[in-house]
Structure formats: C-alpha cells, structure tokens
Amino acid sequence: MINVNNIRIKFGDNEVLKGITTTFDRGKINLIIGQSGSGKTVLLKTIIGLHEPDEGEIIYDGRVFSGSKSKFKKEIRKEIGMVFQGGALFDSETVEENIMFPLEMFTNITLEERLDRANFCLKRVNLENANHLFPSEISGGMQKRVAIARAISLNPKYLFCDEPNSGLDPVTSIVIDNLIKEIAQEYNMTTIINTHDMNSVIEVGDKIVYIHEGHKWWEGTSEEIFNTNNVELNNFVFASEKMKKLKFNKV
C-alpha cells in the first residue's frame, strides 16, 4: 500500500499540488488522470521521489519515504519498477543490456544470473530472442515491452507507468494495457499509471484518481466514473468520445 498524505508542492510562486491525499492499495491498478498541466505528472514523480514535497508524506507500506535519507530511499527504490513515457531505453545498449541495467545498479548477482533474469523478463513480455537487437531496430510497441521487462527485472513490489500508451496505435495500446494488467495481478504489485488513455480507464483501472488544477477532484472505480455528476471530470472523460462522434458525422 502507498499512502499519499496532504502533499503540497510549489515551483516558485506556483502551487502545483494542493493538499492531495489518497491511498493506492496493494495488488491494485491505480490510474492518475487529468488534463495536461493539472499536476498529475508532478504527483507521480513525487511518489517515486523525483520531487520532494513542501508539505505532506509519501508512505510505502508503513515506511515514510518523503524526507528520508538517501540510503533509506535507495532501499525502497529497489522495490520500484518504472516504465517511463516513450520507454526511455538506452539507444547505445541492446535490449538485453537495457534490461540488465537495474540489476547491475542495485544487485551483486553474477553476469550469468543477470542474463537468466533478462531472458525470463523477455519471455514474460513475449520478446524471446530479441536480446541482441538495439532499440532502433524494434517497433514502438516492442520498445514499450522492453521497458516493462526492465521495470520488472528487480521483481518490484511497486510498478509505476508514465503514459505507457503514448505514441502507440489503438491495437498496440490494448496489448500494453493487458500486459501491464497481467503482470500486476500475477506478481500482486501496487501499480500506478499516469495516463490520458480512456481505454485504460475502462479496461484496467481498479481505482481512478482525477487531478484538476492541483487538487484531487474525484476518485472512484472505473464503473463509478461513468455515473458521476462531476462536471470537470465528465468534460475530460467524454472529450475523446465527442471528438469521435464529430469525426464520424463528417464521414
């Protein structure tokens, strides 16, 4: 479980997060949604320690993460897997080397053990025999799968994904959604996904947190989101559907 308690962050005079409190349960897929500039990316980065809150606490299973010493934070970071927007693979390293990078950074296991783990992770994301290819030699969807394989290489308790479907076609987006869902359930990981993709909200989200102008404006389930009277949330959720209808009316 991850507890977010009254988180506030300012950049200069601009208060980006305004007292956000929520809980992300163990083994659940939690989605953070909101318009660009709403603060959702800052919230995600704060939870994983890339930003330090001005007020409030981030707590991992009873362990206060925010404001802690770097050595303590490093121990918790060993339990975190991260899928960055765009994949963020190292272009000069092979698929295999990308997946082994966290193992080299956070463990003392042998090269043979690292290779075994890399092969296991590649098999789990259905990319066997891609070991020696470079990111430029594989598709965008395959790059996202490599990023997921790297994120689970340390067998994390917590999985974070920043816009995992960014730049992907609808069919590939569904493949990535299903893969994340399968892995999260299989390993009982607390999973937090930052997304604009409404298909993800419908298909994989156990809990949805909607951020609006730095506030937690709404939270609930994927079923509840379609029956809410929250005006700002409805405008956000149904914007894409309105665009689809407009497009079809013009055909």
Side-chain angles (χ1 to χ4, degrees), residues 79-96:
E79 303 173 1
I80 293 174
M82 182 75 202
V83 178
F84 294 94
Q85 186 175 0
L89 301 178
F90 300 113
D91 294 333
S92 60
E93 295 189 354
T94 64
V95 164
E96 181 179 272

Side-chain angles (χ1 to χ4, degrees), residues 11-236:
F11 297 142
D13 294 329
N14 182 27
E15 189 174 27
V16 180
L17 298 181
K18 304 172 183 178
I20 292 180
T21 296
T22 190
T23 299
F24 302 109
D25 291 331
R26 178 75 170 161
K28 300 296 185 181
I29 298 179
N30 306 274
L31 303 187
I32 302 173
I33 64 173
Q35 296 178 345
S36 297
S38 62
K40 66 183 187 301
T41 300
V42 175
L43 176 59
L44 185 72
K45 290 181 176 180
T46 303
I47 296 171
I48 64 175
L50 294 180
H51 294 311
E52 191 67 33
D54 296 307
E55 294 181 29
E57 291 180 324
I58 305 295
I59 303 173
Y60 283 79
D61 290 311
R63 299 167 295 174
V64 179
F65 180 67
S66 51
S68 299
K69 294 181 179 179
S70 58
K71 184 177 180 180
F72 179 78
K73 282 188 173 181
K74 185 176 181 181
E75 290 303 310
I76 293 181
R77 284 194 177 112
K78 291 179 182 179
E79 303 173 1
I80 293 174
M82 182 75 202
V83 178
F84 294 94
Q85 186 175 0
L89 301 178
F90 300 113
D91 294 333
S92 60
E93 295 189 354
T94 64
V95 164
E96 181 179 272
E97 290 169 337
N98 267 280
I99 295 171
M100 291 196 298
F101 179 78
L103 299 172
E104 294 170 352
M105 178 175 289
F106 291 110
T107 75
N108 294 316
I109 63 177
T110 66
L111 175 59
E112 183 179 0
E113 290 171 322
R114 294 199 301 270
L115 289 169
D116 284 344
R117 182 61 184 171
N119 283 321
F120 172 84
C121 293
L122 280 171
K123 183 177 181 180
R124 184 60 192 81
V125 300
N126 302 314
L127 278 180
E128 295 173 276
N129 304 317
N131 300 55
H132 303 297
L133 297 175
F134 286 89
S136 61
E137 298 176 308
I138 59 178
S139 68
M142 292 173 71
Q143 289 180 25
K144 289 294 176 72
R145 282 191 276 161
V146 173
I148 293 170
R150 181 175 64 185
I152 65 172
S153 63
L154 289 170
N155 195 21
K157 292 173 63 176
Y158 316 98
L159 178 64
F160 294 86
C161 305
D162 186 17
E163 299 285 359
N165 294 333
S166 176
L168 300 181
D169 63 80
V171 173
T172 306
S173 293
I174 292 171
V175 171
I176 297 301
D177 276 345
N178 289 338
L179 181 58
I180 292 172
K181 183 176 182 179
E182 289 170 8
I183 289 173
Q185 292 176 342
E186 182 177 338
Y187 297 103
N188 197 34
M189 289 187 291
T190 306
T191 303
I192 301 177
I193 303 173
N194 206 4
T195 186
H196 284 100
D197 191 339
M198 287 303 106
N199 182 73
S200 300
V201 172
I202 299 168
E203 298 296 333
V204 304
D206 295 312
K207 176 179 179 177
I208 318 297
V209 177
Y210 173 59
I211 305 299
H212 178 68
E213 296 182 352
H215 296 277
K216 184 187 76 176
W217 211 247
W218 182 91
E219 65 180 350
T221 67
S222 56
E223 291 80 16
E224 292 169 341
I225 201 170
F226 294 103
N227 297 309
T228 178
N229 293 321
N230 189 301
V231 175
E232 291 80 10
L233 177 60
N234 283 332
N235 288 340
F236 176 78

